Amino acid sequence: MTALLEVSDLVKTFGTGEAETRVLRGLSLTLDVGEMAALLGPSGSGKSTLLTILGTLMKPTSGRHAMLGQDLVAANDRALTEFRNLHIGFVFQFHNLLPDFTALENVVFPTAVRIGRETPAALQRGRELLTRMGLEARIDFPSANLSGGQKQRVAVARALMNRPELVLADEPTGNLDRASAMQVMDLIAEINRDEGTTFLISTHDEKIAGLCRRQIVVGDGVVTG
Amino acid sequence: MLYALKIATRYLTASKAQTALLVLGVAVGVFIFIFMSALIGGLAEFILSRTVGDISHVTITAEDRDPAILISPDGMILAVIERGRARTATLAEAATFVPLIETVPGVIAVSPQITGAGFLTRGAQVAQVSVTGLEPGRESAILNLDGYMTQGSARLGAGLIVLGETLADDLSLRLGQTLRLQSSSGVSAVLTLSGIYSTGNGMIDASSTYVSLSTARTLFALPQGVTRIEIKLADLNAADATALRIRALTGLDAVPWTDGAEQLMEALNAQAQTGYFLKSFALITIVIGVASALLLSTYRRRPEIGIMRAMGAGRGFVIFVFVTQGALIGLMGGLSGAALGYLALLPFPSRDAFEVGTLPMDITQGSYGLAITLTVIGAILASILPARAAARVDPVTAIGQ
Ligand SMILES: Nc1ncnc2c1ncn2[C@@H]1O[C@H](COP(=O)(O)OP(=O)(O)OP(=O)(O)O)[C@@H](O)[C@H]1O
Ligand SMILES: [Mg+2]
């Protein structure tokens, strides 16, 4: 297996002086290409913080972070924005979609924002992804009118739009009922199996975690298992 | 950036009522801008036409020659030829100058005149009047006598006199009556009242009289030449330049109306300044309105901005989305405000038909293009602050995971 990303001795502190909180305390982790891993740990253990750093949305206080052979700690905002666009997909728990846009418009966003317009090829891929997510009837639906489960499936489709190597999902099913959660997880598993996309999914749900081949447990700011 | 434009438009159409209100606010500002432009422009036009429209724009008066002095070789003044009480100073070669002046570009009318003072007698009543001899056929060249006639005709001929309503009332005169006019030169003439006018100018209505040039020649004992040449121009503002030109051409002392009209010019200037001031306020209101509305919008859309940033939208893209919204609002507000302003100005009489008592709005001076341009620029400037705030949104806190 080849390593997709590597972080080592990650430290992240918030605030200074009295109010300083050390969330990550020298965390090291390697993810290989094609992995499907669950990120577990008690509330406040730093799962979201880790995902945010891995997603280049935030820089660590110290430590190393490299992906696809690129040092992401040193990179500037412009470079990180482009890197994110091309190589990383996100699925969040809340606030996932742009409410004033249709399902399809949301899905093609990562491509359109890079090229500068919604190309026919992008729209074609967007439709295919939505169809694959079982949303062919909702392609041109305003995203604000979708159900929670449908929204998360649109978010998964969008995360895959630019064929990223890594998809980071922070409690993607945290808001969903069991059936919807399972549907979303099945789709993720299918993409992971068919396309080799690496997934890292944070969850509090043992059942969801059980669907992943690897479980990473965070505690006290380091990986404990 | 077609895509940023799409997103900007979607944001604006997503909250239609809010956008409509914002555009309306901008439109009102533009409306005020245009209304002020039309009013200040129209007012200046009105004041100028009232004060200067009926007077000569460039005037040539006969130079009073200094009294000739006879000085002896040892410096003693031997004799002084006293300037007579009667007007002797004339523009002797007036007849040759008139056609020449008429060829000067911008000159629309030339009126050679003989002016003087006299006493008008009707029975036991006497009034002191000014007398202007006009060339028949050019009665309305400077002062639009024809347009002000209330009775009779402005047409001057031998033995006819035209005078103002106030004077006619003072002397209880009726059309067709005969009057005696004695000039300051001591010549008397019996004249028939052939027309009464009312200009609205107290002086002219109460003490001016008009006779034909030949009648004036007799009255003032001036067998040839004239005492004054009045010139009307197509463009009031060209008076200074045209006067210079006429001076160069004829060697006569041509004086533009602006000489001695400093107060009027100052008043018009002050009025224009007030206009700029009010228009600037209208623009500032637009800028503040757009800035605050967009700032609110960036705050409301923080999570979305965070998502866009996470999906690979650069700061520049976010800035573009919000600046484009500002530009679109400015454009829509500018266009609708200009249209609104134009429609509101339509019912006002045109600049040629300003009436006393109504606002002299000049629809042609609405500065529509300027209003729209400044509004779009203002709205773009107004959106820079919110756009920068949007670009600085931290995706992590905005998404709030
Ligand atoms: N911007 C911030 N400023 C200060 N403290 C923060 C900030 N973000 C996170 N923290 C703190 O860091 C710690 C870890 O938070 P994080 O969200 O990573 O936990 P988590 O494992 O995702 O928790 P949960 O399972 O509840 O989502 C918490 O104590 C939190 O209060
Ligand atoms: Mg979390």
Side-chain angles (χ1 to χ4, degrees):
Chain A
M1 278 286 179
T2 45
L4 172 67
L5 83 88
E6 221 180 326
V7 289
S8 50
D9 304 321
L10 269 195
V11 173
K12 183 69 193 180
T13 57
F14 290 108
T16 50
E18 294 271 300
E20 190 182 272
T21 337
R22 264 174 101 81
V23 180
L24 301 181
R25 302 158 179 258
L27 182 147
S28 298
L29 176 69
T30 304
L31 278 182
D32 288 333
V33 172
E35 272 202 281
M36 177 153 162
L39 188 61
L40 293 157
S43 186
S45 56
K47 301 184 294 296
S48 295
T49 305
L50 177 61
L51 287 177
T52 309
I53 291 171
L54 294 182
T56 75
L57 294 172
M58 183 166 72
K59 290 207 174 174
T61 308
S62 67
R64 294 192 341 99
H65 175 203
M67 180 172 161
L68 294 166
Q70 285 193 44
D71 176 8
L72 298 179
V73 175
N76 64 16
D77 181 76
R78 185 183 291 266
L80 290 179
T81 300
E82 191 185 342
F83 187 88
R84 250 195 329 268
N85 179 264
L86 292 172
H87 304 297
I88 303 174
F90 291 93
V91 183
F92 304 110
Q93 182 176 0
F94 311 106
H95 297 311
N96 243 315
L97 304 181
L98 307 174
D100 298 317
F101 294 79
T102 65
L104 181 61
E105 286 169 333
N106 266 282
V107 172
V108 300
F109 183 91
T111 305
V113 80
R114 175 163 47 88
I115 297 176
R117 64 196 177 89
E118 292 170 337
T119 60
L123 291 167
Q124 185 52 35
R125 172 158 171 84
R127 282 193 202 92
E128 281 166 18
L129 282 168
L130 282 169
T131 307
R132 190 153 181 196
M133 297 296 145
L135 291 170
E136 56 269 63
R138 295 286 181 270
I139 285 175
D140 293 314
F141 229 62
S143 68
N145 297 352
L146 296 171
S147 75
Q150 289 167 343
K151 278 182 188 159
Q152 287 312 70
R153 283 185 276 154
V154 173
V156 173
R158 184 185 55 189
L160 299 170
M161 183 66 198
N162 280 349
R163 297 188 170 82
E165 286 80 358
L166 173 68
V167 173
L168 301 169
D170 198 356
E171 301 188 43
T173 59
N175 257 5
L176 306 181
D177 63 22
R178 174 68 47 197
S180 308
M182 284 307 160
Q183 194 181 12
V184 170
M185 285 308 292
D186 284 347
L187 286 165
I188 287 176
E190 190 185 310
I191 302 285
N192 171 259
R193 188 181 59 236
D194 295 354
E195 310 202 350
T197 310
T198 306
F199 282 87
L200 180 60
I201 305 157
S202 88
T203 180
H204 286 284
D205 189 330
E206 295 290 337
K207 237 191 168 106
I208 299 287
L211 296 170
C212 300
R213 287 192 297 282
R214 177 179 171 194
Q215 281 82 36
I216 301 164
V217 184
V218 182
D220 255 349
V222 290
V223 174
T224 56
Chain B
M1 280 298 264
L2 218 61
Y3 194 54
L5 181 65
K6 170 176 175 155
I7 291 183
T9 340
R10 183 66 55 85
Y11 275 3
L12 291 179
T13 50
S15 38
K16 286 198 183 61
Q18 203 178 331
T19 305
L21 261 172
L22 183 56
V23 168
L24 183 70
V26 173
V28 169
V30 174
F31 179 85
I32 292 171
F33 187 101
I34 285 172
F35 214 73
M36 284 313 304
S37 294
L39 179 60
I40 299 288
L43 216 50
E45 193 77 33
F46 178 71
I47 290 170
L48 276 179
S49 75
R50 280 265 132 183
T51 53
V52 187
D54 271 346
I55 67 164
S56 170
H57 298 156
V58 177
T59 309
I60 303 167
T61 35
E63 288 170 56
D64 292 331
R65 276 180 214 100
D66 282 329
I69 303 172
L70 195 61
I71 304 173
S72 75
D74 57 358
M76 289 271 285
I77 295 175
L78 298 178
V80 177
I81 299 169
E82 194 185 302
R83 192 192 299 166
R85 280 187 61 80
R87 296 281 298 275
T88 51
T90 63
L91 293 163
E93 311 90 28
T96 55
F97 287 133
V98 170
L100 192 62
I101 295 169
E102 275 173 335
T103 63
V104 173
V107 169
I108 53 175
V110 180
S111 170
Q113 306 175 354
I114 294 174
T115 54
F119 292 97
L120 197 62
T121 331
R122 162 77 186 159
Q125 286 169 294
V126 181
Q128 192 174 359
V129 295
S130 75
V131 182
T132 305
L134 298 174
E135 207 169 84
R138 297 194 197 214
E139 294 90 347
S140 300
I142 308 296
L143 175 71
N144 183 16
L145 267 188
D146 217 17
Y148 293 128
M149 294 312 289
T150 53
Q151 292 177 56
S153 147
R155 186 83 200 161
L156 295 166
L160 298 181
I161 184 166
V162 169
L163 45 75
E165 209 164 51
T166 317
L167 185 58
D169 286 347
D170 286 351
L171 300 182
S172 314
L173 301 176
R174 280 194 316 280
L175 274 191
Q177 286 182 329
T178 50
L179 317 159
R180 174 174 293 274
L181 181 61
Q182 184 176 21
S183 77
S184 52
S185 311
V187 182
S188 290
V190 175
L191 302 167
T192 307
L193 179 56
S194 62
I196 298 176
Y197 56 77
S198 168
T199 62
N201 178 319
M203 279 277 284
I204 297 178
D205 290 352
S207 63
S208 290
T209 64
Y210 294 89
V211 296
S212 74
L213 203 56
S214 57
T215 305
R217 258 187 222 303
T218 318
L219 279 170
F220 296 103
L222 213 68
Q224 60 173 358
V226 295
T227 62
R228 185 181 173 90
I229 297 175
E230 293 196 347
I231 299 155
K232 193 153 208 171
L233 305 178
D235 179 11
L236 279 177
N237 303 315
D240 290 1
T242 313
L244 271 179
R245 209 163 167 155
I246 293 172
R247 217 177 292 178
L249 202 64
T250 63
L252 297 173
D253 186 25
V255 179
W257 67 271
T258 45
D259 270 23
E262 285 78 10
Q263 276 186 326
L264 174 64
M265 300 313 274
E266 264 170 39
L268 289 177
N269 229 328
Q271 194 175 285
Q273 299 291 338
T274 313
Y276 292 136
F277 196 67
L278 291 172
K279 285 191 273 186
S280 304
F281 268 105
L283 282 176
I284 290 171
T285 313
I286 290 173
V287 169
I288 292 176
V290 172
S292 63
L294 283 180
L295 209 54
L296 220 65
S297 161
T298 53
Y299 194 77
R300 202 162 52 83
R301 294 192 184 276
R302 276 167 56 85
E304 289 171 61
I305 297 166
I307 289 164
M308 290 199 280
R309 295 278 287 123
M311 297 301 134
R315 289 186 206 276
F317 181 84
V318 175
I319 287 183
F320 206 89
V321 166
F322 279 87
V323 170
T324 305
Q325 287 184 69
L328 287 174
I329 289 165
L331 193 65
M332 288 190 288
L335 288 174
S336 46
L340 226 66
Y342 186 78
L343 291 178
L345 291 176
L346 271 181
F348 287 91
S350 80
R351 57 197 283 180
D352 309 313
F354 285 154
E355 286 165 36
V356 182
T358 61
L359 282 180
M361 309 291 286
D362 185 356
I363 194 166
T364 63
Q365 296 197 52
S367 318
Y368 306 94
L370 182 70
I372 296 171
T373 312
L374 287 180
T375 302
V376 172
I377 293 173
I380 287 175
L381 291 179
S383 62
I384 287 176
L385 183 82
R388 287 173 54 121
R392 276 198 301 266
V393 163
D394 172 24
V396 183
T397 48
I399 299 166
Q401 292 287 302

